[in-house]
């Protein structure tokens, strides 16, 4: 018989929360109804089979804080006590002799004094637990959760709603994942290093985990690699620019960061490579492809090749010190300009070839808010777009697009840059300036999710 649980959610990126929870449910093979999720509220009641499911589901979440076996709820303390006594008596005997403590979480509420907290805890004396009270490492933690509203920047005195439950598990966020991965604490990072919180969220949506292989084709200083390794994936990266891969000096490298995080055993390598001309075996499969493609703002996008193939052909057989020039270790591969739309098409084609069925591609795509229409999102017939999530920067935004590789029975569409009605000319718009959000397509919804 299913039990009710209360999920305490973070208020960071609320339009990403449901997607992360759905992805973690897929990863753990858990069926859960999230229709009660409300982006404006940090509390959500769900039904799960048992504590094991609840524990595994929330354990690595970044956008949740904890999950509690729900014993009761009400609009005020009186209603809360009545509901606890009416609905949760079947749970009491199991915890009668365990060590325990009481805790309180007040969302937007003011702080109670220690005396006030004890007075509130003592109102639950009818539970009559006989075990020892332990403030550190108790067997069980019983938590009162309250929600307040704020008037003139001050919380009201009486809670709008209250819940009471037994703590089942705290999330990776509550256990310090964000503090551990703060960018300034790393030995090595750059001015464009990707946000650590969003990197962890992206890897959750990509189903990174133990026994899986994750690849970032635009590694830079390695933000996604560290996040993938945090969740247990073996990670590999590449970049067409060797400079960030080499690091600043021997103590400021990607390898040193893995040593700092104690995940070196999961770091396969990071090599200088153009993924459109990659060195992977044809039959090599990658479980998760996670990246933030270059937008071409600092410099135009480039891939291996040349605009003047005729000139390259004449130099192909050039001999230096008895060796063909292009086979020498000091050979510098020529590069040619590239469009963001072409790069995204190549990324989807590469992912369709390299992902196993159920594998995921997740990448971030920039767009000008006043020029956005859904048709600029690339599509591939073998990949189903399951999430399109918006991070808004007012004049421009970026979308996290998450695709799943489907089996042969899936009939999708391929929508290349030639077929999309609007080009993603983000670099041009960035330098010429954005106009106000007057033309944003009304069908484009923040945090839009697609069928799983």
């Amino acid at each position: 018989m299913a039990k009710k649980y209360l999920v305490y959610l973070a208020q960071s990126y609320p339009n990403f929360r449901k997607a992360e929870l759905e992805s973690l449910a897929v990863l753990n093979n858990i069926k859960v109804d999230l229709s009660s999720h409300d982006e404006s509220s940090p509390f959500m009641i769900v039904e799960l089979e048992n504590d094991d499911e609840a524990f595994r589901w929330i354990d690595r979440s970044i956008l949740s804080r904890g999950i509690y076996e729900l014993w009761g709820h009400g609009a005020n303390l009186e209603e809360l006590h009545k509901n606890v006594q009416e609905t949760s008596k079947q749970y009491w005997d199991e915890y009668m002799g365990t060590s325990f403590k009481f805790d309180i979480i007040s969302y937007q509420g003011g702080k109670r004094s220690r005396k006030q907290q004890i007075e509130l805890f003592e109102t639950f004396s009818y539970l009559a637990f006989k075990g020892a009270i332990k403030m550190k490492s108790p067997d069980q933690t019983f938590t009162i959760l309250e929600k307040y509203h704020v008037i003139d920047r001050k919380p009201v005195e009486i809670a709008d709603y209250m819940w009471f439950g037994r703590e089942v598990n705290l999330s990776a966020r509550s256990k310090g994942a964000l503090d551990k991965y703060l960018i300034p604490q790393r030995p090595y990072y750059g001015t464009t290093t990707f946000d650590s919180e969003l990197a962890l969220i992206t890897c959750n949506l990509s189903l990174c985990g133990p026994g899986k292989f994750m690849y970032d084709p635009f590694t830079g200083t390695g933000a996604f690699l560290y996040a993938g390794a945090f969740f247990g994936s073996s990670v590999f990266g590449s970049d067409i620019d060797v400079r960030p891969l080499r690091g600043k000096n021997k103590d400021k490298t990607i390898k040193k960061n893995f040593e700092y995080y104690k995940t070196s055993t999961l770091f396969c390598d990071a090599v200088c490579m153009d993924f459109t001309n990659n060195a992977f075996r044809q039959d090599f499969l990658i479980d998760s492809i996670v990246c933030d493609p270059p937008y071409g703002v600092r410099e135009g996008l480039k891939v291996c090749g040349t605009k003047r193939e005729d000139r390259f052909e004449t130099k192909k057989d050039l001999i230096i010190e008895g060796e063909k020039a292009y086979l020498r270790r000091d050979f510098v591969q020529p590069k040619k300009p590239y469009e963001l739309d072409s790069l995204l098409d190549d990324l989807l084609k590469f992912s369709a070839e390299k992902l196993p069925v159920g594998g995921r591609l997740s990448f971030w795509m920039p767009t000008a808010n006043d020029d956005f229409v859904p048709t600029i999102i690339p599509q591939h017939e073998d990949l189903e777009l399951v999430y399109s999530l918006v991070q808004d920067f007012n004049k421009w935004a970026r979308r996290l697009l998450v695709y799943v590789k489907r089996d042969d029975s899936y009939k999708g569409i391929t929508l290349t840059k030639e077929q999309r009605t609007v080009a993603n000319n983000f670099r041009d718009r960035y330098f010429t300036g954005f106009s106000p959000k007057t033309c944003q397509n009304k069908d484009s919804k923040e945090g839009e999710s697609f069928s799983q």
Side-chain angles (χ1 to χ4, degrees), residues 68-86:
Y68 305 83
E69 181 183 65
L70 186 61
W71 285 23
H73 55 95
N76 51 54
L77 186 59
E78 182 180 352
E79 284 189 15
L80 174 63
H81 285 310
K82 181 179 180 181
N83 191 249
V84 168
Q85 295 178 70
E86 289 177 348

Side-chain angles (χ1 to χ4, degrees), residues 239-256:
D239 203 296
I240 197 170
D241 186 353
V242 73
R243 291 170 296 179
L245 302 182
R246 284 177 174 167
K248 296 179 180 179
N249 56 52
K250 65 182 181 66
D251 295 319
K252 294 184 177 181
T253 64
I254 290 175
K255 184 178 179 181
K256 284 294 182 182

Side-chain angles (χ1 to χ4, degrees), residues 312-320 323-328:
F312 184 74
E313 285 294 322
T314 62
K315 295 182 177 181
K316 187 169 64 173
D317 295 325
L318 179 64
I319 303 296
I320 299 177
E323 187 179 8
K324 287 189 175 182
Y326 70 87
L327 295 178
R328 290 172 58 88

Side-chain angles (χ1 to χ4, degrees), residues 208-322:
C208 295
K212 295 187 176 184
F213 190 83
M214 191 209 90
Y215 170 55
D216 178 1
F218 312 101
T219 296
T221 56
F224 288 115
L225 301 187
Y226 314 134
F230 173 75
F231 293 123
S233 282
S234 297
V235 297
F236 180 87
S238 69
D239 203 296
I240 197 170
D241 186 353
V242 73
R243 291 170 296 179
L245 302 182
R246 284 177 174 167
K248 296 179 180 179
N249 56 52
K250 65 182 181 66
D251 295 319
K252 294 184 177 181
T253 64
I254 290 175
K255 184 178 179 181
K256 284 294 182 182
N257 281 356
F258 276 100
E259 291 175 1
Y260 172 77
Y261 290 127
K262 295 181 173 58
T263 53
S264 296
T265 57
L266 296 171
F267 177 43
C268 298
D269 208 343
V271 301
C272 185
M273 182 178 75
D274 171 11
F275 89 96
T276 66
N277 294 276
N278 67 81
F280 290 121
R281 297 194 317 268
Q282 188 173 1
D283 61 347
F284 182 67
L285 295 180
I286 303 169
D287 299 288
S288 306
I289 300 173
V290 185
C291 59
D292 180 33
Y295 306 161
V297 171
R298 294 199 164 211
E299 56 181 302
L301 297 174
K302 293 181 180 179
V303 293
C304 291
T306 175
K307 292 189 292 183
R308 295 289 303 275
E309 293 291 344
D310 55 333
R311 292 179 61 186
F312 184 74
E313 285 294 322
T314 62
K315 295 182 177 181
K316 187 169 64 173
D317 295 325
L318 179 64
I319 303 296
I320 299 177
E321 297 179 355

